[in-house]
Amino acid sequence: MNVVQVQELTRIYTTTQGFLKQKKRDILAVDGVSFEVNQGELFGMLGPNGAGKTTTIKILTTLLLPTAGRALVMGHDISRESQAVRRQINVIYGGERGLYRRLTGQQNLLYTADLYGVEPPIAQKRVAELLELVGLDKRADERVENYSRGMAQRLHIARGLINDPSVIFMDEPTIGLDPEAAHFIRQRIKWLTGQGKTVFLTTHDLWEADQLCDRIAILKKGKIIALDTPRELRRLVGDVQVVEVETFGMPEEKRAGLEAALKTSFVSVATYGPKQTIAIQTQNPNEVTAQVQQLLKGVKVLNIRVREQSLEDVYLRLVQEDKS
Amino acid sequence: MKHHLQVFRAAVRMTIWDYLAQPMWPFWLTITPFAFALVAVFLYRDAPPKTFALYVVLGSGAMGMWASALGGCSFSMMQERRWGTIVYTFTTPASQLWIAAGRSLVHAVIGLMTLAEIALISVLFLGIQLTIASPVAFLLAVLLTILAFAVIGLFLNSFFMLTRSASDWQNALSRFLYVFCGVMYPISVLPDWLRPFSYVLAPTWSLKAIRLSVEPGALGNSDYLMNIGLTLLLTMVYLLLAWYLQGVTEHKLRISAELERI
């Protein structure tokens, strides 16, 4: 059963510039996307900043209206039956905003339970259970302003489950968290699908998406450029391997030379201070390794290895391929 | 309806929690009304005792109620935007109108506390004699005044949802409302062309009703009853407008995507 059905969804933001003579400008954020999410699925959405991920979530959670196209959540039209949609969903955004900071964790949850119409005796019981689930039961009576970022995010998770939703939308729920806190949130996300919940997740963390998601849609400039399981996405760019080279203090002209010489392969360079990591996706790793060693003569090479391609490699290739 | 009442009760409870959690609330409840009372005392120190009592206590009390009802509603909305909670409440099935109703009622009642406080200050420290000849009429008029202020807060909630400068608008609006409602003087002193603004404000009539209720036999006084009736009528009109505007505002916000902007 499809719990989310999206057909040709489009969203244009109109902005105005100037004071006396105002000029209107249209920005196409989501450009005719179509997809379905199945019941109990953990569906991921990846894409660079401004690709339209958050806008898609905002439309599906009834915060925004689409400019064109149609979306159904649990069989209800998000434009015309927003109340019916809201009763069956919940949303979790990443970051510290979205909580009543002067209220306690427990008060935040009780208030949200009332907004969702949860019967008070059920709400009392559920609040206690959720606080325990996210490990905040000992700090339930403390004001949220005293919580760490990780604790606030855990409270967001509890808040997002307060109405026992069928579909949970999560927009970068691990953003800015330390590894331990992010691990905790990921565990809980995985646990949710075990409970039969459908999760719609956007993230910038490709490892997280690879580990968690059943299927992933990759968005670029408002369009879906790929949609499949992580395993199939990895195959999308062919039977390639990655030659990964770590260098120290590589000059810019060397990098340009490398990219020009390896035109048939996809090259991405990540810089970490004075160090660079060059990832070359190729079908001929041995040939490329030899070529790279030749091209990088005079550059301090710290490590060179051949590995299987990751989701990150595929993602970078897909979103950067036709950058021109 | 059951869910609406649950949301209303939750909004009342949350507003009280939030109000008491703010370090400034003792200041708002004591210093501000006292300042209003002092202004009124100096304005009316040469007035006859009856006028003095009515305008010092009721006038400054009404100013306090305005400040609380409008200020509280705009502050709550600004806070919801700043904290990003408005986005979450918007995506719940709860009606924003009922949330705003609970919030507005709390702020109007807090405003009533300032009226009571000013009455106490006036009697204890300023030697003002307060005699209410028709307590039932007085109570009815006061309750309607609270309702009128709460509904105005509700009516303005839609507007506050649309703007990122709710507090600035509240500051500007409250000054006008002090003038138009005649909180410190009868509206008959206003120029003719300004009076229509006063006539469409429910507190203009409810405050008049409060002033009449200090006279004996107010419940049988047609002037008093007319003021009560007009207050009720205008409050109903505001309610209908608030209900209509809320729907329009929500639709507009889903198109303009301005709810999250701070």
Side-chain angles (χ1 to χ4, degrees), chain B residues 69-219:
Chain B
L70 273 181
C73 290
S74 64
F75 180 80
S76 294
M77 190 50 72
M78 291 281 284
Q79 188 167 270
E80 290 262 358
R81 272 179 179 270
R82 201 169 54 241
W83 286 348
T85 45
I86 184 78
V87 174
Y88 284 95
T89 59
F90 200 86
T91 51
T92 68
S95 156
Q96 294 293 318
L97 195 70
W98 285 91
I99 296 174
R103 212 155 45 199
S104 302
L105 185 71
V106 172
H107 290 302
V109 170
I110 290 167
L112 178 71
M113 288 165 74
T114 66
L115 176 74
E117 190 200 332
I118 285 167
L120 201 68
I121 291 169
S122 305
V123 172
L124 293 179
F125 301 108
L126 305 175
I128 296 172
Q129 295 284 313
L130 277 179
T131 319
I132 297 161
S134 310
V136 177
F138 177 80
L139 197 67
L140 178 66
V142 166
L143 286 175
L144 276 181
T145 305
I146 295 170
L147 187 68
F149 279 119
V151 175
I152 287 176
L154 187 61
F155 169 71
L156 288 172
N157 184 66
S158 301
F159 181 63
F160 290 150
M161 272 181 90
L162 286 174
T163 178
R164 280 182 271 179
S165 320
S167 287
D168 296 337
W169 280 103
Q170 174 267 322
N171 275 329
L173 279 172
S174 57
R175 272 38 162 200
F176 280 113
L177 293 168
Y178 292 157
V179 174
F180 294 141
C181 279
V183 290
M184 288 284 189
Y185 43 77
I187 55 167
S188 55
V189 303
L190 292 174
D192 287 349
W193 63 274
L194 268 183
R195 285 190 213 168
F197 292 107
S198 305
Y199 298 151
V200 295
L201 291 168
T204 302
W205 307 105
S206 67
L207 290 170
K208 256 176 119 176
I210 293 178
R211 283 181 204 126
L212 288 168
S213 71
V214 299
E215 305 285 350
L219 281 173

Side-chain angles (χ1 to χ4, degrees), chain A residues 16-171:
Chain A
T16 50
Q17 286 174 322
F19 182 63
L20 288 175
K21 214 176 173 184
Q22 287 201 332
K23 273 186 185 171
K24 283 193 174 181
R25 194 164 72 95
D26 285 344
I27 299 162
L28 182 62
V30 178
D31 187 6
V33 300
S34 301
F35 62 90
E36 283 97 33
V37 181
N38 303 314
Q39 188 167 22
E41 187 176 23
L42 211 162
F43 185 88
M45 196 167 251
L46 298 177
N49 289 329
K53 306 181 299 293
T54 301
T55 300
T56 306
I57 277 206
K58 284 178 182 171
I59 294 171
L60 294 177
T61 56
T62 75
L63 192 63
L64 295 179
L65 282 169
T67 312
R70 192 165 181 242
L72 303 178
V73 175
M74 300 298 289
H76 300 289
D77 188 298
I78 49 107
S79 301
R80 286 174 294 155
E81 301 168 277
S82 53
Q83 285 302 95
V85 172
R86 288 170 184 175
R87 272 190 278 274
Q88 306 215 38
I89 64 163
N90 208 321
V91 59
I92 297 164
Y93 291 106
E96 287 175 277
R97 295 180 78 226
L99 296 166
Y100 294 94
R101 303 190 58 77
R102 274 194 281 263
L103 304 191
T104 67
Q106 189 179 39
Q107 285 172 334
N108 267 277
L109 294 184
L110 285 170
Y111 178 58
T112 312
D114 280 328
L115 297 188
Y116 277 98
V118 181
E119 293 287 339
I122 298 171
Q124 289 283 352
K125 193 167 167 270
R126 197 174 288 164
V127 165
E129 285 168 1
L130 287 173
L131 284 166
E132 198 181 336
L133 176 78
V134 298
L136 286 175
D137 46 331
K138 304 273 190 297
R139 311 277 301 264
D141 295 326
E142 272 183 46
R143 284 191 192 183
V144 172
E145 62 191 1
N146 297 326
Y147 283 10
S148 68
R149 187 162 188 167
M151 288 166 72
Q153 194 57 33
R154 281 189 270 158
L155 188 63
H156 269 300
I157 298 280
R159 203 205 66 88
L161 300 176
I162 198 75
N163 59 324
D164 193 20
S166 303
V167 192
I168 305 153
F169 293 87
M170 299 189 182
D171 192 14

